[in-house]
Amino acid sequence: MARTTGWGSLFGCFSSSHGGGSRRKNKKGGGGKKKKKVAAAAAGSSGGGSGRPRSLQSRMSFTELSLSGMVSPEDLSLSLVGSNLHVFTIAELRAVTRDFSMTNFIGEGGFGPVYKGYVDDKAKPGLRAQTVAVKLLDLEGGQGHTEWLTEVFFLGQLRHPHLVKLIGYCYEDEHRLLVYEFMARGSLEKHLFKKYAASLPWSTRLKIAIGAAKGLAFLHEAEKPVIYRDFKTSNILLDSDYRAKLSDFGLAKDGPEDDETHVSTRVMGTQGYAAPEYIMTGHLTAKSDVYGFGVVLLELLTGRKAVDKSRPPREQSLVEWARPYLADARRLDRVMDPGLAGQFSTRAARRAAAVAHQCVALNPKARPHMSAVVDALEPLPALDDCLVGTFVYVAPPYAAEDQAAAGKAGGGSSSGRRGRRRSAAAAASGGDHQGAARTTADP
């Protein structure tokens, strides 16, 4: 289903030279073959079997790993040989986070609490000195061991500038932890919707949208495609330069195999972002992710949440409220984020709205591939020649004595009022009067 592109040549995780060819369909009675395949892959990784290490160019699917039964720490380590992931002990991560001190606490999600830490070659030989984020699985939370394992498995094998980098993990007794690169500016959700957060400039919003689109396109067009399944603002993290990176792969799935058109799975995800056909049928495709991207793009354009129960009933669903305006350039300004204060390119906004409109199409076949979305969005930052500014009218600077004299001479008569109206009209006409109306725009 996914088209072959140049991504594989740019990033070595996926190559057309992957060993083993296409994957077999999971048919009844095929479990033994799957298990043998996993065992062979692990043996190859450890230098046994054929003696050739399994590289990331031949990424194992999560299905292959999970079908091998309960995955032990040793099995996981063998399956990730060549990924350069560091395996930490719980004692090492306690030291890194000052015993999970509240002064290092960053936040908490469905997975569990996240702490800031610092690692260097003293923590692990060969480890570059850097600030990290340590995510601790809450065994009583909304996610569990399977989601943790999924995240380790996918991020351990996938590398891209717009995917958050997994540095290592801890799989010790009941402890399940993940160690990521630290993303200095947190989530896109925080910047868009926190009450006291400064409004993101138009150029930054475009940069974030393009970066997130590239990350999603990479997943879809890999040799073994990945469906992200949980694309939303809280899962898009930003570094110090506002580069967007996808995080939280706990719900990710391997894409359809061979001639299959979809993956049948239990419906998971977040209300407002999940594609309608996926909710109704449980049929998951890459176009389900495209829908989620369209919702996030709408959030960037409008400054509104995907679902907001505090709004009037007709405006609670962002997609349903915004859809009629997206294809009408004359009405688009009605949905643009007031926080932008008019500082955006009209042409770029119209094109971005057209992309969003296609992405949230009810018919999944009408939605574009993410590579096409990237192509459509990349030229938009250059369209900065027609910024719409805020209209500011400055009243004419009448002197107090002139106003008093005019009042006495005219006595409130119609001639006095006509004189004042002529002065105001002259000011608004844009002549040499210093009180003329002005339009402000970005330099």
Side-chain angles (χ1 to χ4, degrees):
M1 178 182 65
R3 295 172 294 166
T4 303
T5 67
W7 287 112
S9 63
L10 292 174
F11 306 101
C13 303
F14 303 99
S15 159
S16 59
S17 61
H18 128 277
S22 60
R23 290 172 291 168
R24 297 176 181 270
K25 293 184 181 181
N26 182 19
K27 299 178 181 179
K28 290 183 179 180
K33 293 182 180 180
K34 286 281 188 178
K35 291 185 179 181
K36 290 178 182 178
K37 190 174 182 180
V38 174
S45 299
S46 61
S50 64
R52 185 178 65 180
R54 184 184 61 80
S55 71
L56 288 182
Q57 293 176 341
S58 55
R59 181 180 74 83
M60 183 191 294
S61 73
F62 186 71
T63 304
E64 291 167 353
L65 179 66
S66 59
L67 283 174
S68 64
M70 180 61 186
V71 180
S72 69
E74 293 75 17
D75 293 335
L76 181 60
S77 179
L78 285 174
S79 70
L80 294 172
V81 165
S83 66
N84 296 321
L85 287 184
H86 294 270
V87 182
F88 293 90
T89 65
I90 187 63
E92 289 170 337
L93 293 184
R94 287 188 186 279
V96 163
T97 60
R98 299 179 182 177
D99 200 16
F100 304 108
S101 166
M102 285 306 297
T103 59
N104 287 41
F105 180 76
I106 298 175
E108 187 164 5
F111 188 94
V114 184
Y115 298 86
K116 189 176 181 179
Y118 182 82
V119 298
D120 55 20
D121 58 0
K122 294 179 182 178
K124 283 289 181 184
L127 187 57
R128 177 176 65 86
Q130 59 189 300
T131 303
V132 296
V134 180
K135 189 157 69 170
L136 175 66
L137 173 63
D138 179 4
L139 295 176
E140 297 180 356
Q143 298 186 28
H145 174 76
T146 300
E147 287 80 5
W148 177 87
L149 191 63
T150 303
E151 183 137 3
V152 175
F153 188 80
F154 281 112
L155 282 181
Q157 299 186 86
L158 300 170
R159 292 288 184 272
H160 188 272
H162 293 288
L163 303 184
V164 69
K165 182 180 180 181
L166 181 65
I167 295 170
Y169 65 91
C170 172
Y171 186 179
E172 180 181 326
D173 300 327
E174 75 279 9
H175 303 293
R176 306 287 186 274
L177 298 93
L178 300 171
V179 182
Y180 303 93
E181 63 176 322
F182 180 71
M183 301 294 285
R185 298 197 181 274
S187 73
L188 173 58
E189 179 186 46
K190 179 185 74 173
H191 289 275
L192 277 180
F193 305 126
K194 291 298 182 183
K195 188 173 182 180
Y196 299 107
S199 181
L200 288 171
W202 175 247
S203 59
T204 303
R205 297 185 193 212
L206 286 181
K207 179 178 181 178
I208 292 168
I210 293 167
K214 287 181 176 179
L216 208 50
F218 169 72
L219 296 178
H220 290 177
E221 302 194 351
E223 184 183 5
K224 290 188 177 181
V226 177
I227 302 175
Y228 186 54
R229 202 163 55 143
D230 202 18
F231 193 90
K232 57 184 179 180
T233 52
S234 61
N235 284 345
I236 300 172
L237 301 184
L238 308 173
D239 68 10
S240 57
D241 293 325
Y242 290 96
R243 174 186 289 180
K245 300 192 180 189
L246 308 188
S247 69
D248 198 344
F249 277 65
L251 297 183
K253 297 284 289 185
D254 287 302
E257 301 179 5
D258 301 329
D259 58 347
E260 293 176 345
T261 59
H262 62 269
V263 176
S264 294
T265 180
R266 183 162 56 104
V267 175
M268 301 284 286
T270 304
Q271 183 184 11
Y273 297 96
E277 76 280 357
Y278 172 54
I279 295 174
M280 291 187 292
T281 66
H283 293 175
L284 187 66
T285 69
K287 296 299 182 74
S288 307
D289 280 347
V290 175
Y291 183 92
F293 177 85
V295 177
V296 170
L297 184 54
L298 279 180
E299 290 179 303
L300 286 165
L301 292 173
T302 66
R304 294 192 178 205
K305 297 179 180 179
V307 176
D308 191 344
K309 298 295 185 181
S310 68
R311 294 188 179 274
R314 293 184 179 181
E315 298 183 20
Q316 291 181 2
S317 168
L318 175 59
V319 171
E320 296 307 316
W321 170 72
R323 184 179 274 125
Y325 301 98
L326 297 178
D328 188 345
R330 296 169 299 178
R331 303 168 68 198
L332 181 60
D333 61 308
R334 300 186 187 182
V335 300
M336 293 299 292
D337 186 0
L340 287 167
Q343 301 299 304
F344 58 87
S345 164
T346 303
R347 286 191 296 159
R350 289 173 179 174
R351 293 187 188 182
V355 171
H357 189 254
Q358 284 185 296
C359 289
V360 297
L362 292 175
N363 181 0
K365 293 181 179 179
R367 298 172 200 154
H369 292 282
M370 284 309 303
S371 57
V373 171
V374 173
D375 291 342
L377 293 180
E378 279 196 305
L380 301 192
L383 300 179
D384 59 357
D385 56 335
C386 53
L387 290 173
V388 177
T390 305
F391 181 80
V392 179
Y393 175 74
V394 181
Y398 290 119
E401 57 271 21
D402 292 340
Q403 294 180 12
K408 290 178 181 178
S413 67
S414 61
S415 62
R417 286 193 294 271
R418 281 195 299 271
R420 287 192 292 274
R421 282 199 296 270
R422 282 194 296 270
S423 298
S429 67
D432 293 333
H433 198 291
Q434 70 183 85
R438 296 191 294 273
T439 299
T440 61
D442 284 342

